[in-house]
Amino acid sequence: MVFAIEEINKNPDLLPNITLGFHLYDNCVKLGVAFRAATALVSGTEESFSDFGCTGPPPVLGIVGDPGSTHSIAISSVLGLFRVPMVSFFATCSCLSDRQQYPSFFRTIPSDAFQVRVMVQILERYGWKWVGLIFSDDDYGVHAAQSFHQEVSRFGCVAFSEMLPHDNDRAEVKRIVGIIRSSTARVVVVFSTEAYLLPLTDEIALQNLTGRQWIASEAWATSAVFHTRRLLPVLGGALGIAIRRGEIPGLQDSLLSLRPDFDPGNNMVNMFWEKMFSCSFKAASPGRVCTGQESLEGTESAYSDVSALRHSYNVYKAVYALAHALHDLLGCRPGIGPFPGHSCAELHTLQPWQLVHYLQRVNFTTSFGDQVSFDENGDALAIYDVMNWQRAADGTIRTVKVGVFDESATPGQKLLLEEENIFWNFESNKPPRSICSEPCPPGTRRAIRKGEPVCCFDCLPCADGEISNQTDSSECYRCPVDFWSNQ
């Protein structure tokens, strides 16, 4: 975010003569903290005020975040009352597309509604009609699970549907693993953040539960915490839906130029520095003392790795979306403006709702070549990478891009998979079969088992004088008069 703002401030063609500033808050993964930060951003942090007329612009005109769906729902429902634009880079709950409830919410990540469609298309591609579903106990997981149930019912059935425990209850996790093991479904779809999922994957590895094809949602499809030697036998071969990867020219050089600044309000850099160089800024501490002049050049860490920018790329696009909206607003010509009396917004009296108007219409292309715009619900264009979990040279897991989904492509071309590059963690390196019942051959009809999903059925032979000449026929047909059925 800081890099994007500094880049915009140096750009003579975008917001000339305007300098953008920023406030950064940590939500500490707690709703109360995130909510307090959001209200501080829009109302300021002063304990008293002298301007009882409340004139002039607010402390900030727009917010980038929150990354979580649950946080975004709570914050946006309140900020929406004041029409403060909020652009999230990671909140995917389809519920946030409701313009009645969240009139000023935007996002640079696609809604889960699109992600579910991608998953169902993959299930259809391989004939996986019998699947298990696991989801996290939060807004992200619950809404995604509801959407998945609706979409998959047109094609197949859900063998089991289990919610991951909120408190990582070991007994409950063991119970879920037992259900996965006993189910005949060989494909398991998981909508969850990594924190909810880690206890389950640990238990799966502990019990060595193999022979399952995992389908990962974007919240954990590229998460490095799962890419271990221990999890390769059980999670290897997984297919994941990932946020589109992007490139940000100049970002790595900016990251490597970081130096400690000893600002007491920002001790995170110092903590990182001590960890990175195994030293301490406290002279009295044993071991090496940090000088602050150590160089990040040549070091390797998640911090300096820009080879797969996904969430970061969405942050970059969110900042630029707000900047382009402000640029378009300031370019308004009096007499043909969009506001009452064809007026324009004034910089010194600018209100957030005026920026929302322009943000809804923003349309630009990043240096990586991606178009950024929002539909009528504030949603971004749906483009995903399809990832495959494969064995790395050191025995850990590496994610490899094996396909792409583009909602704007022509029908039949939306999902493209490089099937020859997919690793299947099964015998003969072939995709598994996951069906409840084998198809009924000609000469039989399907009979749904009482109390079971429609995907589970028996094949009953046609009675004398009746035939079926198609696979999976739902009924047998009586022969014409003077004819009878052969064997």
Side-chain angles (χ1 to χ4, degrees):
M1 178 179 171
V2 175
F3 172 81
I5 289 173
E6 290 178 347
E7 190 175 67
I8 292 165
N9 286 338
K10 294 173 186 174
N11 187 343
D13 300 321
L14 184 60
L15 292 173
N17 303 321
I18 296 288
T19 301
L20 296 179
F22 58 88
H23 296 281
L24 290 174
Y25 283 83
D26 191 340
N27 68 14
C28 300
V29 203
K30 289 184 171 64
L31 178 56
V33 176
F35 203 90
R36 186 172 63 203
T39 52
L41 285 171
V42 297
S43 62
T45 56
E46 296 81 8
E47 292 187 9
S48 62
F49 61 95
S50 55
D51 182 12
F52 289 94
C54 293
T55 57
V60 298
L61 291 170
I63 294 176
V64 176
D66 187 288
S69 290
T70 298
H71 292 186
S72 291
I73 290 167
I75 295 169
S76 190
S77 61
V78 174
L79 297 192
L81 299 174
F82 306 99
R83 298 299 190 271
V84 176
M86 183 171 163
V87 188
S88 178
F89 52 93
F90 201 45
T92 60
C93 181
S94 56
C95 58
L96 286 162
S97 298
D98 186 343
R99 266 295 183 247
Q100 293 296 317
Q101 284 191 279
Y102 314 106
S104 59
F105 180 82
F106 298 82
R107 50 184 159 193
T108 51
I109 186 172
S111 159
D112 278 333
F114 297 107
Q115 178 178 205
V116 168
R117 286 179 212 166
V118 184
M119 288 185 171
V120 172
Q121 285 194 33
I122 291 174
L123 297 179
E124 287 189 81
R125 173 75 63 91
Y126 295 106
W128 294 330
K129 296 186 177 183
W130 186 235
V131 298
L133 174 63
I134 293 173
F135 58 97
S136 52
D137 182 13
D138 54 12
D139 289 291
Y140 167 72
V142 171
H143 281 89
Q146 291 173 349
S147 181
F148 182 80
H149 273 283
Q150 292 170 359
E151 286 286 330
V152 84
S153 63
R154 298 184 291 103
F155 161 75
C157 303
V158 175
F160 59 85
S161 181
E162 294 293 331
M163 180 188 287
L164 293 168
H166 197 282
D167 55 358
N168 298 335
D169 179 10
R170 181 77 188 278
E172 179 65 7
V173 170
K174 281 186 171 183
R175 186 190 67 79
I176 294 173
V177 173
I179 288 174
I180 299 171
R181 184 184 294 279
S182 62
S183 174
T184 54
R186 288 292 171 266
V187 176
V188 183
V189 174
V190 183
F191 290 97
S192 175
T193 53
E194 57 189 41
Y196 279 101
L197 189 58
L198 274 167
L200 182 73
T201 55
D202 284 343
E203 187 63 31
I204 286 170
L206 193 65
Q207 296 190 25
N208 193 29
L209 177 56
T210 59
R212 299 298 184 276
Q213 175 65 46
W214 297 88
I215 309 290
S217 67
E218 100 294 325
W220 67 285
T222 56
S223 182
V225 296
F226 299 104
H227 300 167
T228 63
R229 290 185 181 87
R230 182 166 169 260
L231 293 177
L232 177 64
V234 292
L235 295 182
L239 291 174
I241 314 302
I243 301 165
R244 171 140 167 101
R245 186 191 72 85
E247 292 180 6
I248 305 175
L251 176 61
Q252 187 172 45
D253 291 339
S254 176
L255 294 173
L256 294 177
S257 67
L258 180 77
R259 288 292 182 275
D261 57 8
F262 303 104
D263 178 357
N266 179 23
N267 65 343
M268 193 171 263
V269 174
N270 288 7
M271 291 166 64
F272 166 72
W273 207 261
E274 290 178 334
K275 178 92 171 172
M276 194 73 216
F277 296 105
S278 301
C279 59
S280 174
F281 283 104
K282 297 172 182 174
S285 299
R288 198 163 70 86
V289 176
C290 299
T291 64
Q293 298 304 309
E294 293 86 357
S295 175
L296 289 169
E297 294 278 353
T299 63
E300 290 187 11
S301 69
Y303 169 76
S304 58
D305 181 8
V306 295
S307 62
L309 298 175
R310 299 184 190 276
H311 314 141
S312 307
Y313 185 48
N314 280 352
V315 173
Y316 184 76
K317 289 190 290 187
V319 174
Y320 264 89
L322 286 165
H324 276 278
L326 184 59
H327 181 89
D328 295 341
L329 180 148
L330 297 175
C332 172
R333 287 186 291 172
I336 56 172
F339 305 122
H342 301 292
S343 63
C344 296
E346 297 290 338
L347 183 60
H348 61 281
T349 58
L350 182 58
Q351 295 300 311
W353 64 268
Q354 295 172 315
L355 191 62
V356 170
H357 174 87
Y358 284 92
L359 192 58
Q360 186 68 68
R361 292 157 180 77
V362 84
N363 193 332
F364 64 96
T365 303
T366 68
S367 55
F368 188 56
D370 285 340
Q371 182 188 357
V372 178
S373 62
F374 304 103
D375 66 12
E376 65 275 11
N377 298 319
D379 289 328
L381 296 169
I383 305 177
Y384 294 100
D385 291 337
V386 181
M387 312 302 291
N388 182 218
W389 290 24
Q390 302 184 4
R391 182 188 181 91
D394 61 357
T396 59
I397 296 173
R398 66 186 183 113
T399 55
V400 178
K401 180 182 172 183
V402 293
V404 66
F405 175 87
D406 187 349
E407 179 66 24
S408 64
T410 56
Q413 297 296 310
K414 293 180 186 288
L415 177 65
L416 300 176
L417 293 176
E418 303 166 8
E419 305 209 24
E420 69 280 3
N421 295 329
I422 298 177
F423 164 68
W424 304 103
N425 199 16
F426 293 89
E427 195 175 334
S428 305
N429 194 29
K430 291 181 179 178
R433 298 185 74 227
S434 191
I435 54 177
C436 185
S437 299
E438 293 291 339
C440 291
T444 65
R445 66 175 178 84
R446 295 200 309 184
I448 305 298
R449 297 172 190 163
K450 190 174 181 180
E452 295 191 34
V454 294
C455 299
C456 303
F457 48 81
D458 295 315
C459 299
L460 302 182
C462 292
D464 288 343
E466 294 183 344
I467 69 162
S468 69
N469 57 7
Q470 291 181 329
T471 299
D472 260 351
S473 179
S474 58
E475 55 185 308
C476 297
Y477 302 93
R478 186 169 294 282
C479 297
V481 179
D482 296 332
F483 284 80
W484 61 93
S485 52
N486 63 15
Q487 192 61 42

